[in-house]
Amino acid sequence: MKPVTYTRAQALPAILKHRIAILDGAMGTMIQRFKLGEAQYRGAGYFGADGAGDRFKDFPRDVKGNNELLSLTRPDVIRDIHQAYLAAGADLIETNTFGATTIAQADYDMADLAREMNFASARLARQACDQFSTPDHPRFVAGAIGPTPRTASISPDVNDPGARNVTFEELRAAYREQVEALVEGGADVLLVETVFDTLNAKAALFAIDEVFESSGERLPILISGTVTDASGRILSGQTVTAFWHSVRHAQPLAIGLNCALGAALMRPYIQELHKAAPDTFISCYPNAGLPNPMSETGFDETPEVTSRLLREFAAEGLVNIVGGCCGTTPAHIGAIHDAVAPLAARALRPGVFYRETVAEPA
């Protein structure tokens, strides 16, 4: 495969080679801390110039829980979360766009707002990164591309194995709109994350390639799958190794795992990925352990526990990017940053996927 030259985030490959980079933590956990009600999700009480005003005051259905809408109605909330993660030491922050596709937004009758949500979310993250970036410590916007609530590989009807509630073409079109808006809004990299169905991910990667071909720009791609249980497989049935071989054609800058499991349960699958992809950077951002409704974050691991486990990953030479998924907070990210900072990044075997397209850092 031909080497790839990136038009953005040119410094990121060299950074990943020389130190472990820090991804941010959960968005939903942090939003829950604001205890927003239906009126707040519609923008009531926010008087910032970048808010939506009364635009959604009379929207005909409930929108509480539509976190992506907050990029339009309560940008102050999303901005505060980004800033908290950056202050904790994050190198990359994800846009508030996990569910910002026409397919996911259809559940709220807001499919027509998907492009606007992606652009606004990318701009918020861009502004936060620009605020915290320095020549010695650049920060990067990761355009978050979630799996959608539908699956192209699995039937939603146990009585009809051939049934599907979404097509590859529908996914491709939805993802293309999302990618275009993320890039236009200022994303540095694109993160296809929480992959539970590889066919959905392939639709996202196809759409990304279409955007790259039409624009002439090529951004780094990060891909992160989700092992759903102790079977060691993603929901659509692939092992971690099989998943990697299904997406490696996209030449991602990093391949990794996130969500569903805490770090302790994720470890054997990161070890498997480490062996399967020796010439590609590895990312890992687990949940803060298992769900625990009695805890402040809804998950059972404290920052000290999560950071200790990820330090063990780093000490074993397994990772280049670490962060947190569900239940993690800026306190978790700060602890992870401090825990892995003294340790070396995972070394790569020279191959076709890692591209030294930028100068080595001093």
Side-chain angles (χ1 to χ4, degrees):
M1 295 185 183
K2 295 173 62 178
V4 174
T5 300
Y6 301 125
T7 54
R8 303 186 192 182
Q10 293 95 336
L12 188 56
I15 290 172
L16 297 182
K17 183 179 179 183
H18 286 82
R19 68 173 176 86
I20 297 172
I22 306 299
L23 184 67
D24 63 1
M27 177 63 74
T29 296
M30 297 301 295
I31 288 174
Q32 289 171 10
R33 290 188 168 194
F34 286 83
K35 302 185 184 304
L36 304 175
E38 177 69 25
Q40 286 71 46
Y41 267 85
R42 294 169 181 260
Y46 178 67
F47 303 103
D50 54 353
D54 293 331
R55 178 179 175 187
F56 299 104
K57 179 181 178 181
D58 298 318
F59 194 76
R61 60 161 298 166
D62 290 346
V63 297
K64 181 181 177 181
N66 187 1
N67 290 342
E68 291 75 21
L69 178 62
L70 295 174
S71 293
L72 303 180
T73 59
R74 290 299 302 269
D76 59 317
V77 170
I78 306 306
R79 187 182 300 111
D80 285 352
I81 294 170
H82 287 326
Q83 291 172 341
Y85 281 127
L86 289 164
D91 297 292
L92 302 100
I93 58 169
E94 299 179 58
T95 55
N96 179 38
T97 54
F98 183 84
T101 57
T102 53
I103 292 171
Q105 286 299 314
D107 291 344
Y108 291 96
D109 295 334
M110 288 187 162
D112 60 320
L113 298 175
R115 178 180 288 274
E116 184 180 358
M117 289 175 179
N118 282 283
F119 179 80
S121 296
R123 293 301 300 164
L124 287 169
R126 175 79 273 145
Q127 291 162 6
C129 279
D130 290 347
Q131 177 186 348
F132 279 81
S133 288
T134 67
D136 295 331
H137 192 178
R139 311 299 180 99
F140 303 98
V141 176
I145 300 171
T148 83
R150 300 185 184 182
T151 168
S153 294
I154 303 171
S155 172
D157 183 355
V158 295
N159 297 311
D160 184 1
R164 296 292 185 271
N165 58 13
V166 71
T167 66
F168 185 92
E169 173 57 25
E170 289 169 338
L171 287 165
R172 181 208 63 79
Y175 281 130
R176 176 159 186 168
E177 178 183 67
Q178 181 175 39
V179 171
E180 288 173 341
L182 288 171
V183 173
E184 183 181 354
D188 296 303
V189 304
L190 296 172
L191 172 57
V192 181
E193 65 165 325
T194 320
V195 177
F196 62 81
D197 183 341
T198 308
L199 190 55
N200 285 39
K202 282 180 172 288
L205 295 171
F206 191 93
I208 289 170
D209 195 58
E210 283 188 320
V211 174
F212 288 171
E213 288 294 325
S214 64
S215 69
E217 271 203 287
R218 187 164 291 272
L219 281 59
I221 300 171
L222 314 179
I223 304 175
S224 187
T226 297
V227 173
T228 53
D229 55 37
S231 69
R233 298 172 181 269
I234 66 173
L235 189 63
S236 56
Q238 287 185 310
T239 63
V240 168
T241 299
F243 169 64
W244 162 238
H245 285 289
S246 293
V247 298
R248 69 195 303 260
H249 68 278
Q251 293 187 263
L253 180 64
I255 182 73
L257 299 174
N258 76 290
C259 206
L261 304 176
L265 295 175
M266 194 178 285
R267 185 169 190 160
Y269 312 122
I270 289 291
Q271 291 171 328
E272 179 182 349
L273 195 56
H274 163 72
K275 294 177 182 177
D279 47 18
T280 302
F281 295 119
I282 299 293
S283 68
C284 176
Y285 54 113
N287 289 351
L290 298 174
N292 179 359
M294 301 301 293
S295 71
E296 181 182 3
T297 65
F299 286 77
D300 61 8
E301 282 184 5
T302 64
E304 292 73 24
V305 173
T306 302
S307 61
R308 174 178 56 79
L309 291 168
L310 286 177
R311 179 184 172 85
E312 293 174 3
F313 286 28
E316 193 176 333
L318 298 176
V319 290
N320 303 96
I321 304 172
V322 292
C325 201
C326 302
T328 56
T329 66
H332 287 80
I333 297 308
I336 292 167
H337 170 274
D338 293 345
V340 304
L343 302 177
R346 170 179 173 270
L348 300 188
R349 183 190 72 188
V352 297
F353 292 102
Y354 170 65
R355 282 77 58 188
E356 280 190 280
T357 58
V358 296
E360 298 286 317

